[in-house]
Amino acid sequence: MLGPPWGTPAAAWVCDGRVIHVTEPALPQLVSLLLAYSPVALVCSTVRDRDDSTMIVKALLDRTDPMCSAFLDDVADALCESWFGCPRWTAQEIWWRALGNWAMVDGELSMRGVDVMSMPAPRATNTIRALLLKWAAGDETRVEKLTHDFDTPPARVAAKEAVRGVAVEEAAHDWNAVMALASKHR
């Protein structure tokens, strides 16, 4: 999914039929929330209405409620992809590296007249990614490792995709069995 200007940032999500509106914070706060240990901070801090935020926290504390951290990971993934224009784990990796080298990142971009913190999140993220890849450009192994680090989903996402892939494969096997039975009865 591409973020602005090619896509529309998320304005809301739904939980148990309840529409929960969100607001996109300014870039410095958004990056801080992106890098938080848990998706709870990002999800709750971007909810527009305090009642919705309270409902989310109560649901998390209520062990009988089906809302869990995995669900909030999915919500945070979708919000971040709409706001940063790339998967949450890619944005996290880019911004971790940028903040780890902030003096160099800010210095280089400032020398070029670029105020990355005044940019929309997708453009700032793309600018920093390009800068980090430019710095590694002389060493193909470093470029490949950096690209791999940016684009490799976390284990929780890879596991979910593997399960989804098995389900698709199983459905294909069932379809093949149905077709085989149908061809026998012609």
Side-chain angles (χ1 to χ4, degrees), residues 16 54-69:
D16 295 331
T54 301
M55 182 272 304
I56 293 166
V57 171
K58 283 181 180 176
L60 286 171
L61 296 175
D62 179 3
R63 296 193 186 273
T64 62
D65 193 294
M67 184 181 291
C68 62
S69 183

Side-chain angles (χ1 to χ4, degrees), residues 30-51:
L30 185 57
V31 169
S32 177
L33 293 170
L34 169 73
L35 299 178
Y37 175 74
S38 165
V40 175
L42 184 131
V43 172
C44 288
S45 295
T46 58
V47 170
R48 184 187 72 190
D49 303 322
R50 183 173 296 281
D51 291 345

